[in-house]
Amino acid sequence: MSERSKLLAGLGLLIVLVAGGLGYIFTRPAWTEVELVTLRILWIGSLPPLEPDPSNQYGDNPAAAEFGKKLFFDTRFSSNGEVACATCHVPEKGFQDGLPLAQGVGTTNRRTMPIAGTAYSPWMFWDGRKDSQWAQALGPLESAVEHGGNRTFYAHLIDEHYRAEYEAIFGELPDLSDQSRFPEAAGPVEDESARAAWEAMSPADRETVTQVYVNMGKAIAAYERQIMPTASRFDIYVQAALENDKKTMNSTLTTEELEGLRLFIGPANCTRCHNGPLFTDNSFHNTGVPAVESLPEDTGREQGAQNVLADEFNCLSEYSDAEPDQCDELNFMVSEGHELTRAFKAPSLRNVTSRAPYMHAGQFTTLEAVLDHYNTAPAAPTGHSELEQLNFSETQMNAIITFLYTLNSEITAP
Amino acid sequence: MQNKTLKTILTIALTAVITVIAFILLMPVLGPRFMHPLMAGRMESMHGNSAAPSELDYSAERTTENGVFKVSYSSDENIVINKMHTWTLHVETVDGQPVENAVITVDGGMPQHGHGLPTAPQVTEYLGNGDYLVEGLKFQMGGWWEVRFNITAGDVTDTITFNLTLEG
């Protein structure tokens, strides 16, 4: 064999090897079976159809949703005439406000939570002190720093502006014209004169007014139930991966986004809390988020658990439409233990990149700061942080952030 | 002669270039196998302790720790994360007699993550024939979970810990 043919043979062999290697790289499965299962669970296509809320018989009533939407945007339902639900839950901002602390008629101690997909959550607020969307909606209305009103004030407003709509859904609105029985301002609120007026009312009249108030909440919830995230680039990718559609996969996510996704479902442990199709387990976790010095001590779920058990509007209350055995979340709730201390609800990560600042009091202004917190896992101010140090490089953390952008999508609302 | 030297140099150079390129291209396939063992160890530790011990018994029918009862469970549906589940727990003596009117408590958690169950499940009803209704079971992430039943019948108490692996 001549030198020349040896050279050619050698070259040929190497070319075959390289081509084979390249071929393998481009045809091998992108994900293991286990990873694919995780991706499928995170995929929006895994979100089951929304089941009725047994505590709200009007939850899926279209007229109630339409009425609820009007209430949601109506600033007359506040002490200064300037605050509606939509003041903090701004539709254009993904139903949140982009502020560290919510601004109603005053300033709250926590950050506004987003609404999309919360119809799937058994607990509302950062501390889960409410167990339905309708019970949640009634909280801010009587908070001195949010809407700043009270329930007779609201009942009179319904009487004045929405009587026909109310009656078409809930039946006859009681006659509230007797000022001595139904004062302008009365309710179990912080304001002392309104509270005193409330306590002076007869139990039957208080119940009449509370029932109108509850119906307002149920209408608002009927509207909020339909606020949902839609499929994002990530979902398009997962659908393609499940169908092994390489072309769509390659054109949907970049190498860096995929690296971020690999870390997210793998060594970064993000899916310990941010799992399921809404990227949340709707449960409570102490992640050692720093306390804000100017705010009162916040024990999170530790207090929230006690509040929801005592809540006059919980699933087991007389105002709930559920049978007691339909209140599993409340019936089998963990109400005490060190794990609840300074534990806060894990929010959905869908559209998270447009929801700065982060955490329950807006402690972190950027996702970089959030990732840095998870990377270093500092000790919790009180209680015990569930985090473990990751020791990721900046490149890895940036990849995760890049991946989070693939979760952005339109939010649908009626 | 000079021509032959040139050919040899060319061959060596080409082989080297192609080998390097091939190695780079094949890296994603070869993965950490060709990494220095110390590096590979680091990769391993990066993945934390997510793998459950390999010798775990995942069976749904077990004998309690001190061999007092034979216990089995069945779930109302596939056990998936973030959903409330109801189990039927069957308790019998080792010689197969159903255990009636036992007092049973439930707990559990994820040993690798040091947390308990997200809910407080309870035995809510005795169904007869040694069957007990367990309500309020929920698991909020994938991985290895333990569910422990403490069973007291008459003056005997024994414990059984079931292992589960959930997708998530």
Side-chain angles (χ1 to χ4, degrees):
Chain A
M1 203 183 252
S2 75
E3 287 292 324
R4 193 184 172 80
S5 45
K6 270 185 199 164
L7 182 66
L8 283 176
L11 260 177
L13 188 66
L14 280 167
I15 288 166
V16 167
L17 277 174
V18 171
L22 279 174
Y24 182 72
I25 288 169
F26 289 112
T27 53
R28 84 202 153 103
W31 301 96
T32 64
E33 282 303 311
V34 175
E35 285 171 329
L36 268 183
V37 167
T38 304
L39 291 181
R40 180 175 47 73
I41 291 172
L42 292 168
W43 177 47
I44 201 161
S46 298
L47 197 63
L50 187 58
E51 284 177 25
D53 171 3
S55 74
N56 181 4
Q57 58 171 308
Y58 307 101
D60 297 310
N61 178 328
E66 207 172 304
F67 175 44
K69 183 178 178 180
K70 287 181 185 169
L71 295 177
F72 190 88
F73 290 93
D74 194 334
T75 53
R76 289 175 296 199
F77 288 76
S78 63
S79 58
N80 64 2
E82 289 172 13
V83 177
C85 305
T87 303
C88 296
H89 300 286
V90 188
E92 296 76 29
K93 293 183 180 172
F95 292 89
Q96 53 92 47
D97 53 11
L99 298 170
L101 300 175
Q103 304 282 335
V105 299
T107 304
T108 72
N109 294 333
R110 297 233 183 94
R111 195 209 185 296
T112 299
M113 294 197 90
I115 293 176
T118 53
Y120 284 92
S121 177
W123 310 111
M124 305 296 151
F125 288 121
W126 287 102
D127 55 10
R129 66 183 181 274
K130 296 282 184 173
D131 64 349
S132 69
Q133 284 180 313
W134 67 267
Q136 186 281 329
L138 299 177
L141 283 164
E142 281 191 324
S143 152
V145 290
E146 297 181 61
H147 295 247
N150 52 71
R151 54 190 78 165
T152 58
F153 171 67
Y154 296 132
H156 286 300
L157 281 172
I158 296 284
D159 192 3
E160 196 178 336
H161 304 292
Y162 292 108
R163 174 174 275 275
E165 274 174 285
Y166 178 96
E167 292 191 334
I169 302 159
F170 303 106
E172 197 187 344
L173 186 71
D175 180 6
L176 305 170
S177 58
D178 184 347
Q179 288 281 335
S180 63
R181 283 174 59 203
F182 302 104
E184 270 304 306
V189 291
E190 220 170 88
D191 181 84
E192 275 178 32
S193 66
R195 178 174 277 274
W198 180 251
E199 279 157 13
M201 286 170 67
S202 78
D205 287 349
R206 285 201 295 243
E207 204 178 310
T208 300
V209 170
T210 300
Q211 189 59 60
V212 176
Y213 189 53
V214 162
N215 288 342
M216 280 174 60
K218 288 181 179 175
I220 294 170
Y223 166 62
E224 290 182 329
R225 264 170 80 74
Q226 300 181 51
I227 301 172
M228 289 287 168
T230 56
S232 67
R233 219 145 44 78
F234 164 77
D235 299 299
I236 296 168
Y237 176 87
V238 175
Q239 181 158 8
L242 294 172
E243 292 163 358
N244 205 18
D245 172 2
K246 289 267 195 291
K247 193 163 164 268
T248 309
M249 286 168 77
N250 289 334
S251 63
T252 306
L253 295 191
T254 66
T255 316
E256 194 189 9
E257 288 163 350
L258 283 173
E259 174 58 15
L261 172 55
R262 259 178 226 289
L263 294 168
F264 187 93
I265 65 169
N269 299 325
C270 305
T271 51
R272 283 192 193 175
C273 304
H274 297 289
N275 55 33
L278 293 172
F279 285 75
T280 172
D281 63 357
N282 288 315
S283 193
F284 306 90
H285 304 276
N286 181 333
T287 54
V289 173
V292 178
E293 258 180 51
S294 55
L295 295 177
E297 196 190 347
D298 194 337
T299 62
R301 183 59 174 164
E302 184 180 316
Q303 184 60 49
Q306 297 312 310
N307 290 355
V308 73
L309 283 176
D311 181 32
E312 65 176 319
F313 301 131
N314 72 21
C315 184
L316 293 166
S317 72
E318 59 179 306
Y319 297 105
S320 159
D321 300 315
E323 295 298 322
D325 67 359
Q326 291 176 303
C327 301
D328 279 359
E329 292 287 350
L330 201 61
N331 290 334
F332 302 106
M333 187 187 96
V334 175
S335 57
E336 47 195 22
H338 68 279
E339 286 169 16
L340 305 187
T341 304
R342 223 179 144 69
F344 296 93
K345 195 170 126 173
S348 168
L349 293 186
R350 290 189 176 271
N351 289 303
V352 69
T353 68
S354 55
R355 284 209 310 266
Y358 301 101
M359 306 303 174
H360 62 273
Q363 286 93 328
F364 300 128
T365 51
T366 61
L367 279 175
E368 282 76 10
V370 174
L371 267 285
D372 191 55
H373 175 80
Y374 288 143
N375 202 35
T376 50
T382 48
H384 178 74
S385 172
E386 295 174 24
L387 298 183
E388 292 159 31
Q389 253 178 41
L390 296 171
N391 296 319
F392 277 10
S393 68
E394 202 146 312
T395 316
Q396 288 174 305
M397 291 196 285
N398 285 336
I400 294 175
I401 293 172
T402 309
F403 159 67
L404 292 174
Y405 276 88
T406 73
L407 299 177
N408 289 350
S409 69
E410 288 290 312
I411 292 171
T412 53
Chain B
M1 184 63 195
Q2 205 181 31
N3 196 14
K4 196 172 177 186
T5 313
L6 195 69
K7 268 186 192 165
T8 314
I9 291 169
L10 202 68
T11 314
I12 292 168
L14 265 174
T15 312
V17 166
I18 294 170
T19 310
V20 167
I21 292 172
F23 193 74
I24 291 169
L25 287 173
L26 286 170
M27 258 322 270
V29 183
L30 301 171
R33 270 174 289 168
F34 278 69
M35 287 168 85
H36 191 276
L38 281 173
M39 279 292 283
R42 225 186 128 225
M43 288 284 290
E44 201 65 36
S45 70
M46 269 168 55
H47 287 272
N49 49 4
S50 52
S54 52
E55 72 280 9
L56 286 180
D57 184 346
Y58 289 104
S59 53
E61 187 176 343
R62 309 266 307 271
T63 304
T64 48
E65 276 166 22
N66 298 321
V68 178
F69 307 114
K70 238 166 54 187
V71 187
S72 62
Y73 74 86
S74 60
S75 177
D76 59 338
E77 52 189 335
N78 275 347
I79 304 170
V80 295
I81 58 168
N82 297 341
K83 203 169 186 302
M84 210 59 107
H85 294 286
T86 298
W87 286 7
T88 301
L89 193 76
H90 179 74
V91 185
E92 56 183 42
T93 58
V94 276
D95 51 9
Q97 294 305 307
V99 175
E100 309 260 334
N101 303 314
V103 176
I104 302 173
T105 57
V106 195
D107 66 6
M110 296 189 93
Q112 292 165 310
H113 300 167
H115 63 73
L117 297 170
T119 54
Q122 290 164 29
V123 170
T124 51
E125 202 182 332
Y126 177 57
L127 303 169
N129 194 35
D131 287 344
Y132 298 82
L133 194 68
V134 187
E135 289 188 276
L137 277 158
K138 198 173 184 180
F139 311 94
Q140 86 274 39
M141 69 179 82
W144 168 38
W145 285 88
E146 286 184 344
V147 180
R148 201 164 21 256
F149 294 96
N150 193 55
I151 303 165
T152 304
D155 50 5
V156 208
T157 296
D158 208 351
T159 301
I160 180 67
T161 305
F162 291 107
N163 297 298
L164 287 84
T165 297
L166 267 69
E167 294 172 341

